[in-house]
Short mmCIF file of all heavy atoms in Angstrom, two decimals:
data_model
loop_
_atom_site.label_atom_id
_atom_site.label_comp_id
_atom_site.label_asym_id
_atom_site.label_seq_id
_atom_site.Cartn_x
_atom_site.Cartn_y
_atom_site.Cartn_z
N GLY A 272 32.38 -10.33 59.05
CA GLY A 272 33.42 -11.02 59.82
C GLY A 272 33.06 -12.45 60.15
O GLY A 272 33.93 -13.27 60.44
N HIS A 273 31.76 -12.77 60.09
CA HIS A 273 31.34 -14.13 60.45
C HIS A 273 30.89 -14.92 59.22
O HIS A 273 30.18 -15.92 59.36
CB HIS A 273 30.29 -14.08 61.56
CG HIS A 273 30.82 -13.33 62.75
ND1 HIS A 273 31.71 -13.89 63.65
CD2 HIS A 273 30.67 -12.03 63.11
CE1 HIS A 273 32.07 -12.96 64.53
NE2 HIS A 273 31.45 -11.83 64.23
N LYS A 275 32.07 -17.50 56.34
CA LYS A 275 33.01 -18.62 56.52
C LYS A 275 34.10 -18.62 55.46
O LYS A 275 33.80 -18.55 54.26
CB LYS A 275 32.27 -19.96 56.49
CG LYS A 275 31.10 -20.05 57.47
CD LYS A 275 31.46 -19.69 58.91
CE LYS A 275 30.23 -19.53 59.76
NZ LYS A 275 30.27 -18.40 60.68
N CYS A 283 35.80 -19.29 66.35
CA CYS A 283 35.63 -17.84 66.35
C CYS A 283 35.05 -17.39 67.69
O CYS A 283 34.43 -18.18 68.40
CB CYS A 283 34.69 -17.45 65.21
SG CYS A 283 34.35 -15.69 65.11
N ARG A 284 35.20 -16.11 68.00
CA ARG A 284 34.63 -15.57 69.24
C ARG A 284 33.12 -15.68 69.27
O ARG A 284 32.50 -15.63 70.32
CB ARG A 284 35.03 -14.10 69.41
CG ARG A 284 36.52 -13.89 69.50
CD ARG A 284 36.84 -12.43 69.78
NE ARG A 284 36.26 -11.56 68.76
CZ ARG A 284 36.21 -10.24 68.85
NH1 ARG A 284 36.69 -9.64 69.90
NH2 ARG A 284 35.69 -9.51 67.88
N CYS A 285 32.49 -15.82 68.10
CA CYS A 285 31.03 -15.92 68.07
C CYS A 285 30.56 -17.32 68.43
O CYS A 285 29.38 -17.56 68.60
CB CYS A 285 30.50 -15.54 66.68
SG CYS A 285 30.79 -16.79 65.42
N SER A 287 31.10 -20.00 66.48
CA SER A 287 31.11 -20.82 65.28
C SER A 287 32.57 -21.10 64.86
O SER A 287 33.51 -20.68 65.54
CB SER A 287 30.35 -20.09 64.17
OG SER A 287 30.26 -20.91 63.02
N CYS A 290 35.19 -18.59 60.73
CA CYS A 290 34.80 -17.23 60.34
C CYS A 290 36.02 -16.43 59.88
O CYS A 290 37.13 -16.63 60.38
CB CYS A 290 34.18 -16.48 61.50
SG CYS A 290 32.70 -17.23 62.17
ZN1 LIG B 3 32.31 -15.80 63.99
#
Side-chain angles (χ1 to χ4, degrees):
H273 303 283
K275 307 307 169 222
C283 178
R284 299 185 303 170
C285 74
S287 184
C290 300

